[in-house]
Amino acid sequence: MNTVTTGDSIHVLDDRAAQVWTKGSSKEFACDRKSTAGAVTQRACAFCGSRVVLYPIADALHIVHGPIGCAVYNWDIRGALSSGPQLHRNSFSTDLAEKEVIFGGEKKLKASLIELIEFYKPKAAFVYSTCIVGLIGDDVEAICKQVTQMTGIDCIPVDSPGFKGTKKSGYQAACEAAYKLVGTAKTDGIKKHSINLMGEFNIAGEAWMIRKYFERIGVQVVATITGDGRVDDLRRCHGASLNLVQCSGSMTHLSKLLEDKHGIPMKRVSFFGFEDTAQALYDTAEHFGDSEMMDKAEALVREEIAKYAPRIKAYKKQLKGKKAALYVGGAFKAFSLVLALRALGMQTVLAGTQTGNAEDYEQLKEICDPGTVIVDDSNPLELAKFVLEKDVDLFIGGVKERPIAYKLGVAFCDHNHERKIPLAGFEGMLHFADEVARSVLSPVWKFAPRRSLHMKTNLNPGND
Amino acid sequence: MATNTDCTTTAGTPALGPEPEAATRNACKLCAPLGAAMVFKGIRGCLPFLHGSQGCATYIRRYMISHFREPVDIASSSFSEDDAIFGGARNFELGIENVISQYQPELIGVATTCLSETIGDHMLGMIKTYQDNHQAEGPPLVHVSTPAYSGTHSDGYFATTLAIVKKFALPSNFRLSHRVNIIPAMMSCADLRHIRELCERYGLSSTLLPDYNATLEGGSWDAYHRISPGGTSLEEIEEMGASTATLELSHSQANVKQSAGSYLKSACGVPLHSLGWPIGIRLSDQLFTSLSEISGREMPSEIADERARLVDAYVDAHKYVSGKTAALYGEPDFVIGMAAFLSEIGVRPILCATGSKTPQWKELLHNEIEGGMADVEALAGVDHAKLASRARERKPDLLIGSSKGYPLARELGIPLLRCGFPIHDRIGGQRQLYVGYRGTQQIFDRVVNAFLEAKQEYSKTGYSYL
Ligand code: SF4
Ligand code: SF4
């Protein structure tokens, strides 16, 4: 027999109890921990973190050193677009075989790098070490040095074997690797009012939209890191005068390096939702102390909102009072989502992240309504539990969360790196509202057994 | 011609010079623990558990979800750096406890990842210690060794079916008449359902190992299920040693040292029918012949009618397909079955590719292709970049395989018939039927229509009758 349960009977593991919190309770809240063994975490590994961050650098060669799985599960799964080279969309791997695991994979790595560089002519190469390599002790750094010398192409090791920690340690390794390129080219032609857009991954072309806003108010974008990324942009991004950091989880380390070593200040921003997008533009104008820029920003915001607000208002009427759950990678995304949902008249009743830290969660607690459940590093059972207990109408998450919602007759919207719809900026807010509405208001939920308890009697009248 | 990223330099120009050989570029295979997880998903109340770092489990979950669109919960012992160095015993024990407490499984399927294999964690010892510490309470644990560096997902899949029968099937002195064991290759959910139904038509009850037809394509839920309903029960698996016969629907298993079917034969005395993936008339005929032999019944008339209609369809459409060429890729068994089918309708499978290095795969393939092998290239252990470079030269009319062939099909301007695993850019991969006359009919129609559609699309006149 399979166990059939309702939300109430699903329990939270003792080891994880402190990572589940309800607004209004006085309980302590814990986060920033390793995942519990056997908990079926939704998190991936450190390698995944580094791959996510560096993947969109489109003219670099990305090769995964290890057995095949880690590389192939990653093959072109993300929606980060490039306006030029597409090299990043390939999956290259040393695909270690048993004898290389025993005798070392250095030779194969070296041969692979040389051949691939010769063939594809990348601007740089990133070499990701996976668990096995961390274990068998290949000297990846030495191989990279040798190949750099032989080919003249920078080969950069990314030290991120999966077991090294959570995705966050991978972010850190990626930032270290990216930083190796910074400062290696001239900064000629960079204007005074210039920025780097950091932690923007150009999902479905979002970086292009944001870049246009800045150009419209007279700000030069030196580099988008790492969406639609280019090696040469990274080399000279230290010439920008401000860093706007969107996905702070992934990019804080790099922006700190840029601040400490090159004196470039950073600002945390978000381009999700009207309010946040407007705020990001205003903050930038204010930072540069340029009143003309501020005027332009205000005009831009007015114009854009006028374009989209009426349609969003119409959606709000239809969505008012619906309840949403969200489980996303980074905390910044969660804040923006709570606000954006509120703008659609919806209430967030469950909010969780894979990688939030204490500071992030404080902020999340702040903006959520009383009664909202906040979870850190959750798993399918817990998420299902709260979907049922809170009776949500919409779940926002990634591919792994989708079946949890769908099985229980709940609408779902994708908000991770795999989606193909741009949600950033003013226009993105309309896409978001549109997608939420199309799913939440779809007539199909009527047929979902959990939501149509009368189905049985209707189909079999007479034996209810 | 659209460019394909596997043959373009960063400048956007075609990459020239010798093809890289050392690295794998766009692999045509997945890793062994994925195959193990597929099998575990086909056992009732079973939770797959990967012993190693958690990334592998998460990636595999994501990958399977994108094809099946169903919950795929896979636990992991979540190694940290310390565990990688000092061994994963502590995490293993804690992980199993947590899995039991959360999921209340009837079985835990433990597969090793590359990492735990390499550090040499002694799984059987760890399982025994765990069970000793828990007075053998809780569900049974079955272990399979699946380092990805010595095999693909297909290898992991069959290694797991073998591990399961070895652990659970009981030798028996009597035979359950009218009960057959089926060891399918990595087929679609619809295939598994159809095979079960076919057995019933012959008056046979069947034990499929695995049977993920319901767990990976289930209904909408009225209450939450910790583990998706469906799958083969442990009792059924125990009784596999007492069945009348085993049908192993996999060419690749016919030649390995030991398979689930050959184990059941040698250890439990269950007669083995080694068949292929039954796509096409000839391979399906073999399946039905076996079912007749085992049941002592003639082919039921409905099935004979299906066969007759299929032959009729072959005749009606032969002109549209004969002389055409195709390139196909995927699991070793799938490619053999599909090549056999294509060659019997007059489509030349000029490129047959698999990422696995299955022993004697090329010979097995040769045996099934009508009209000789002179123009057929068999590529084992191949990746998509190499397949693409051969396809550029051979210029097939049609591509058949997973979604992963899309960039190539787009580049060559030929149709891609999405078959096998994974299909993540269309819906319904798990519902496609390939086996038996009925499945062949469906795939036949798709093949013919792909050619017709291409002809119509690219014709100047836009014919409306074809
Ligand atoms: S380490 Fe091995 S088991 Fe894990 S994903 Fe990579 S290839 Fe697969
Ligand atoms: S082997 Fe390590 S790096 Fe690769 S997927 Fe698994 S945890 Fe991640």
Side-chain angles (χ1 to χ4, degrees):
Chain A
M1 255 306 288
N2 278 282
T3 29
V4 179
T5 52
T6 66
D8 304 316
S9 64
I10 299 174
H11 68 281
V12 174
L13 286 173
D14 291 346
D15 284 346
R16 292 199 20 80
Q19 285 164 279
V20 179
W21 186 85
T22 307
K23 179 157 179 175
S25 99
S26 56
K27 229 178 65 173
E28 289 287 299
F29 183 69
C31 58
D32 238 341
R33 292 178 169 179
K34 284 192 333 179
S35 302
T36 307
V40 192
T41 173
Q42 306 292 85
R43 282 176 177 168
C45 58
F47 158 69
C48 172
S50 67
R51 192 82 173 93
V52 169
V53 168
L54 297 174
Y55 165 84
I57 303 175
D59 55 357
L61 178 85
H62 301 268
I63 179 165
V64 181
H65 186 31
I68 196 63
C70 326
V72 75
Y73 297 127
N74 255 299
W75 176 13
D76 200 21
I77 59 175
R78 298 176 192 282
L81 300 186
S82 162
S83 52
Q86 306 286 333
L87 192 61
H88 65 304
R89 298 181 62 190
N90 288 290
S91 161
F92 299 120
S93 168
T94 48
D95 188 1
L96 294 182
E98 190 152 14
K99 69 172 195 301
E100 286 131 8
V101 172
I102 299 168
F103 299 111
E106 292 180 2
K107 252 185 153 166
K108 196 175 199 180
L109 174 60
K110 188 170 168 184
S112 297
L113 275 170
I114 292 171
E115 286 181 357
L116 293 171
I117 289 172
E118 184 65 25
F119 195 69
Y120 294 104
K121 318 245 180 288
K123 290 282 165 71
F126 291 102
V127 181
Y128 305 77
S129 297
T130 60
C131 288
I132 286 286
V133 170
L135 194 75
I136 61 178
D138 277 2
D139 192 345
V140 175
E141 194 148 359
I143 301 289
C144 284
K145 264 203 197 114
Q146 288 173 26
V147 179
T148 303
Q149 254 170 16
M150 290 171 64
T151 60
I153 296 296
D154 282 324
C155 294
I156 303 166
V158 186
D159 183 26
S160 59
F163 56 69
K164 265 231 162 135
T166 65
K167 240 177 169 174
K168 266 193 198 165
S169 354
Y171 294 158
Q172 179 113 357
C175 288
E176 290 286 337
Y179 186 69
K180 297 241 163 75
L181 291 169
V182 175
T184 56
K186 291 207 195 110
T187 56
D188 303 354
I190 295 180
K191 297 196 185 111
K192 198 167 112 226
H193 293 165
S194 59
I195 57 167
N196 295 315
L197 263 179
M198 302 177 69
E200 165 50 50
F201 295 94
N202 201 32
I203 305 302
E206 291 177 335
W208 301 332
M209 293 159 53
I210 299 169
R211 185 188 267 268
K212 267 198 208 119
Y213 296 148
F214 283 105
E215 284 167 2
R216 273 165 72 183
I217 66 169
V219 173
Q220 181 188 9
V221 179
V222 180
T224 47
I225 308 171
T226 56
D228 199 14
R230 295 295 181 277
V231 170
D232 286 344
D233 291 348
L234 267 171
R235 290 188 190 281
R236 59 187 230 122
C237 73
H238 61 295
S241 46
L242 174 67
N243 285 325
L244 294 185
V245 181
Q246 178 166 232
C247 172
S248 58
S250 63
M251 279 290 145
T252 303
H253 188 62
L254 184 59
S255 67
K256 284 239 169 76
L257 287 170
L258 282 162
E259 185 159 20
D260 295 348
K261 311 239 165 120
H262 306 272
I264 310 173
M266 68 169 269
K267 268 191 194 313
R268 273 178 136 194
V269 292
S270 157
F271 295 100
F272 187 70
F274 285 178
E275 282 172 51
D276 285 0
T277 307
Q279 197 60 49
L281 295 172
Y282 296 154
D283 284 356
T284 308
E286 206 173 276
H287 172 86
F288 289 124
D290 182 329
S291 65
E292 196 188 329
M293 187 185 288
M294 186 59 93
D295 291 345
K296 281 186 186 160
E298 280 170 6
L300 185 155
V301 170
R302 235 177 294 125
E303 191 184 314
E304 292 290 318
I305 291 185
K307 237 193 278 178
Y308 302 113
R311 287 186 58 192
I312 288 177
K313 236 194 200 148
Y315 283 132
K316 184 173 174 177
K317 243 191 219 151
Q318 295 172 286
L319 292 168
K320 207 170 163 59
K322 302 276 187 196
K323 288 181 281 184
L326 46 105
Y327 189 70
V328 291
F332 236 64
K333 208 149 56 176
F335 309 150
S336 300
L337 278 168
V338 173
L339 297 180
L341 287 163
R342 201 170 280 157
L344 294 180
M346 296 178 68
Q347 191 198 351
T348 303
V349 290
L350 168 70
T353 83
Q354 288 181 21
T355 57
N357 62 26
E359 199 185 318
D360 295 332
Y361 281 113
E362 276 316 308
Q363 202 172 339
L364 189 57
K365 288 171 175 178
E366 192 86 358
I367 60 170
C368 284
D369 297 321
T372 302
V373 174
I374 293 181
V375 288
D376 176 56
D377 184 20
S378 197
N379 59 29
L381 289 187
E382 287 172 18
L383 295 173
K385 170 186 170 76
F386 295 115
V387 165
L388 292 169
E389 278 178 16
K390 298 280 176 183
D391 197 17
V392 306
D393 302 286
L394 170 71
F395 199 112
I396 296 180
V399 177
K400 291 188 301 294
E401 286 81 35
R402 186 177 59 203
I404 302 171
Y406 281 176
K407 274 291 171 206
L408 296 168
V410 168
F412 178 83
C413 293
D414 200 344
H415 202 296
N416 76 351
H417 280 215
E418 297 178 32
R419 70 192 147 80
K420 305 291 180 287
I421 303 173
L423 301 179
F426 302 100
E427 182 186 339
M429 185 60 195
L430 179 63
H431 294 164
F432 177 70
D434 191 63
E435 204 202 338
V436 168
R438 273 188 296 123
S439 193
V440 171
L441 304 174
S442 165
V444 301
W445 308 120
K446 269 204 308 276
F447 300 105
R450 193 177 70 84
R451 309 208 123 188
S452 61
L453 294 172
H454 305 299
M455 194 177 69
K456 273 199 187 92
T457 41
N458 288 341
L459 288 180
N460 305 301
N463 63 16
D464 59 328
Chain B
M1 192 163 95
T3 43
N4 192 349
T5 57
D6 75 53
C7 61
T8 315
T9 67
T10 43
T13 53
L16 298 172
E19 294 257 344
E21 291 290 334
T24 293
R25 297 177 291 149
N26 301 336
C28 187
K29 60 181 177 184
L30 301 158
C31 70
L34 182 138
M38 285 284 292
V39 175
F40 290 138
K41 283 297 287 178
I43 298 177
R44 182 167 304 180
C46 178
L47 197 86
F49 185 106
L50 299 191
H51 185 53
S53 315
Q54 72 197 29
C56 317
T58 308
Y59 275 137
I60 288 171
R61 289 178 61 203
R62 196 214 75 89
Y63 213 80
M64 288 176 67
I65 290 171
S66 79
H67 175 88
F68 291 104
R69 299 167 190 262
E70 289 285 318
V72 180
D73 289 8
I74 299 173
S76 156
S77 37
S78 295
F79 273 34
S80 66
E81 195 149 15
D82 286 350
D83 308 302
I85 296 165
F86 300 114
R90 206 189 55 84
N91 269 37
F92 177 72
E93 180 139 352
L94 177 65
I96 296 290
E97 275 169 18
N98 281 337
V99 160
I100 293 173
S101 140
Q102 285 193 115
Y103 285 89
Q104 298 149 15
E106 291 169 53
L107 173 70
I108 300 177
V110 182
T112 40
T113 67
C114 302
L115 181 62
S116 55
E117 283 284 336
T118 307
I119 62 175
D121 262 359
H122 181 39
M123 282 319 302
L124 291 178
M126 274 162 42
I127 289 175
K128 184 163 183 313
T129 313
Y130 172 82
Q131 278 166 338
D132 290 348
N133 289 348
H134 292 76
Q135 283 96 41
E137 270 174 22
L141 275 64
V142 59
H143 161 241
V144 57
S145 165
T146 44
Y149 46 76
S150 45
T152 67
H153 62 301
S154 296
D155 300 303
Y157 178 95
F158 287 112
T160 308
T161 58
L162 175 62
I164 289 171
V165 293
K166 272 187 159 174
K167 169 127 180 142
F168 296 110
L170 303 171
S172 159
N173 295 326
F174 64 93
R175 298 278 141 230
L176 292 162
S177 59
H178 307 299
R179 170 86 62 94
V180 290
N181 304 322
I182 310 275
I183 317 284
M186 212 172 109
M187 294 174 175
S188 75
C189 296
D191 283 340
L192 300 181
R193 288 193 287 271
H194 190 50
I195 289 168
R196 184 182 290 290
E197 183 196 322
L198 290 174
C199 291
E200 278 165 20
R201 291 291 188 82
Y202 281 84
L204 300 167
S205 70
S206 52
T207 300
L208 267 67
L209 181 68
D211 181 6
Y212 43 75
N213 94 77
T215 56
L216 292 176
E217 197 193 359
S220 195
W221 290 349
D222 55 354
Y224 193 72
H225 300 267
R226 292 165 203 265
I227 296 176
S228 304
T232 311
S233 72
L234 272 185
E235 295 78 54
E236 287 174 287
I237 296 171
E238 283 167 5
E239 287 173 6
M240 284 175 88
S243 288
T244 305
T246 302
L247 302 184
E248 206 155 49
L249 305 182
S250 152
H251 279 92
S252 70
Q253 291 303 289
N255 279 341
V256 297
K257 231 190 296 152
Q258 194 175 37
S259 69
S262 72
Y263 172 83
L264 287 166
K265 182 176 170 188
S266 60
C268 307
V270 184
L272 174 63
H273 295 241
S274 267
L275 304 169
W277 189 316
I279 313 179
I281 291 183
R282 283 175 305 127
L283 289 176
S284 297
D285 283 350
Q286 290 173 16
L287 170 68
F288 290 111
T289 306
S290 282
L291 290 175
S292 277
E293 263 172 40
I294 296 163
S295 65
R297 289 195 191 182
E298 283 185 8
M299 179 181 279
S301 62
E302 303 93 325
I303 295 179
D305 289 348
E306 270 181 1
R307 188 182 192 283
R309 287 196 295 270
L310 179 58
V311 172
D312 195 57
Y314 274 17
V315 172
D316 287 345
H318 73 279
K319 271 199 210 305
Y320 301 124
V321 296
S322 80
K324 297 279 187 195
T325 59
L328 42 147
Y329 55 90
E331 275 83 55
D333 291 307
F334 173 75
V335 172
I336 295 175
M338 191 53 100
F341 156 68
L342 289 174
S343 67
E344 77 183 17
I345 63 170
V347 174
R348 297 298 294 158
I350 54 170
L351 287 173
C352 296
T354 181
S356 296
K357 292 178 179 157
T358 306
Q360 280 122 48
W361 182 70
K362 291 182 189 181
E363 289 77 2
L364 292 165
L365 183 69
H366 287 201
N367 296 342
E368 296 298 347
I369 292 187
E370 294 214 343
M373 286 287 288
D375 55 344
V376 176
E377 270 177 76
L379 310 166
V382 85
D383 60 22
H384 273 277
K386 216 167 290 159
L387 166 63
S389 96
R390 292 306 306 139
R392 274 172 209 123
E393 194 150 310
R394 299 294 304 275
K395 300 197 180 2
D397 300 311
L398 174 67
L399 198 58
I400 299 181
S402 71
S403 295
K404 294 299 184 194
Y406 176 64
L408 175 61
R410 185 179 160 111
E411 176 195 339
L412 299 179
I414 59 175
L416 167 65
L417 216 57
R418 287 169 178 78
C419 294
F421 177 85
I423 296 176
H424 47 50
D425 60 347
R426 289 290 183 276
I427 204 148
Q430 71 278 47
R431 284 186 286 280
Q432 281 176 16
L433 187 63
Y434 304 91
V435 302
Y437 304 132
R438 196 184 300 170
T440 303
Q441 181 71 70
Q442 294 187 7
I443 188 73
F444 176 74
D445 291 346
R446 287 177 67 206
V447 168
V448 177
N449 287 333
F451 286 123
L452 291 180
E453 194 177 322
K455 184 173 180 149
Q456 205 163 27
E457 283 293 298
Y458 302 119
S459 77
K460 283 204 190 94
T461 35
Y463 300 107
S464 52
Y465 272 95
L466 283 168

